[in-house]
Amino acid sequence: MNAALWKKAFTDARLQLLLTGLLLCLFAWLYVWLSSLIPLGSLTQILQWLPLPIQGFLRSWLGVELADMASLVGRIGFLYLHVVTVLLSISWAVGRGSSTVSGGISDGTMEFIVTLPVRRVWVIVVPAMVATVGAAILAMSVWLGIWIGLLTVRFEESVSIWLFLPGSVNLFAMTFCLTGVTTLFSSWDRDRWRTIWLAVGFFVVSAIVKLVARMWADGAWLRYFSFLNVFEPQQIILLRDEAWSASVSYNAPL
């Protein structure tokens, strides 16, 4: 493999990786701190006071019971489904995947890369490896932020940081999957922005299909048409001792 491929892939990704990883870590710490400001009992009462249709919507949307949702582990586990966490992970997946082919064509670097004395497959493999390692670092940044939060914030009960590691693995698997899908879209076009919009549209449609499959009993079969059906970090975390064995069925398809 040519060192120029590695240098370009790392140079293109390092700033986004640094900023995204830092934001995820800081946001995770902030989320844990904010969670400590809400007493556990009061959150349970608030959820019980909600109208039954809203309780049913939350139960269907998150796939967990209200009691689990209000628990400390469930509250912190929701961090992996938070819009900030998901958006930052999507930005990495779409950004790295779209740069592989159409991004190189758009900025003119692909013409130089294909002249290098390397097999064409490495033009795809090298950015993919950098993107995969980056996705793992970002997922671990969330876990690190939770760890820092648990060390610096006092809660009514103690929680092991290792309970949340399966959630980070599931977040990594989702980011890895979306990066691969975006790379596929990238190979279809010469314009990077069209690739980005196509990948974002794919994610939005998948999210909508997943929600419809959960809310509409007769349409439960639709879940097989959404890759997000196996992105369930909060559910995995709430399994506690059985999380690792159950996470295989979630992460393997991704």
Side-chain angles (χ1 to χ4, degrees):
M1 288 180 286
N2 196 291
L5 292 178
W6 286 102
K7 182 178 179 180
K8 180 182 183 301
F10 176 74
T11 302
D12 291 345
R14 61 183 179 183
L15 182 60
Q16 183 183 10
L17 178 62
L18 177 62
L19 293 178
T20 306
L22 183 61
L23 286 173
L24 283 172
C25 184
L26 291 176
F27 177 72
W29 170 82
L30 178 64
Y31 182 90
V32 173
W33 173 67
L34 291 175
S35 297
S36 68
L37 302 180
I38 305 175
L40 293 178
S42 63
L43 181 59
T44 303
Q45 292 179 354
I46 292 173
L47 292 175
Q48 291 176 347
W49 288 339
L50 292 174
L52 292 180
I54 297 180
Q55 291 186 27
F57 172 79
L58 291 174
R59 191 179 296 108
S60 300
W61 174 42
L62 297 176
V64 298
E65 296 298 325
L66 295 182
D68 293 329
M69 196 186 310
S71 67
L72 181 57
V73 175
R75 287 161 55 184
I76 298 179
F78 180 74
L79 170 65
Y80 290 97
L81 293 172
H82 196 283
V83 62
V84 174
T85 305
V86 174
L87 283 179
L88 289 174
S89 300
I90 292 174
S91 69
W92 173 261
V94 174
R96 294 303 91 220
S98 63
S99 69
T100 305
V101 180
S102 60
I105 296 176
S106 297
D107 61 22
T109 58
M110 185 61 70
E111 296 179 3
F112 166 75
I113 292 175
V114 295
T115 63
L116 297 175
V118 294
R119 297 182 62 182
R120 292 294 178 89
V121 65
W122 293 113
V123 177
I124 305 296
V125 170
V126 171
M129 294 176 67
V130 172
T132 300
V133 173
I137 292 175
L138 295 183
M140 292 306 296
S141 296
V142 180
W143 186 75
L144 178 61
I146 296 175
W147 191 5
I148 296 173
L150 292 178
L151 290 175
T152 57
V153 177
R154 178 175 297 180
F155 285 97
E156 300 175 5
E157 61 182 84
S158 60
V159 177
S160 172
I161 182 59
W162 300 106
L163 288 174
F164 304 100
L165 189 56
S168 284
V169 175
N170 192 225
L171 178 64
F172 159 74
M174 187 278 291
T175 308
F176 173 83
C177 179
L178 185 58
T179 304
V181 172
T182 307
T183 303
L184 175 65
F185 293 159
S186 178
S187 68
W188 295 351
D189 206 339
R190 302 172 60 90
D191 188 281
R192 185 178 185 181
W193 280 106
R194 279 198 294 265
T195 301
I196 291 174
W197 285 115
L198 185 61
V200 172
F202 172 79
F203 182 89
V204 172
V205 171
S206 296
I208 294 174
V209 170
K210 177 181 178 178
L211 181 61
V212 171
R214 283 195 165 177
M215 299 301 298
W216 182 32
D218 294 336
W221 55 272
L222 289 171
R223 68 182 186 274
Y224 297 109
F225 293 91
S226 173
F227 82 105
L228 294 175
N229 182 57
V230 284
F231 176 55
E232 299 289 356
Q234 188 183 34
Q235 285 188 24
I236 296 174
I237 290 171
L238 287 170
L239 293 174
R240 295 178 182 266
D241 294 337
E242 301 176 0
W244 286 112
S245 58
S247 63
V248 175
S249 61
Y250 290 92
N251 297 325
L254 291 171

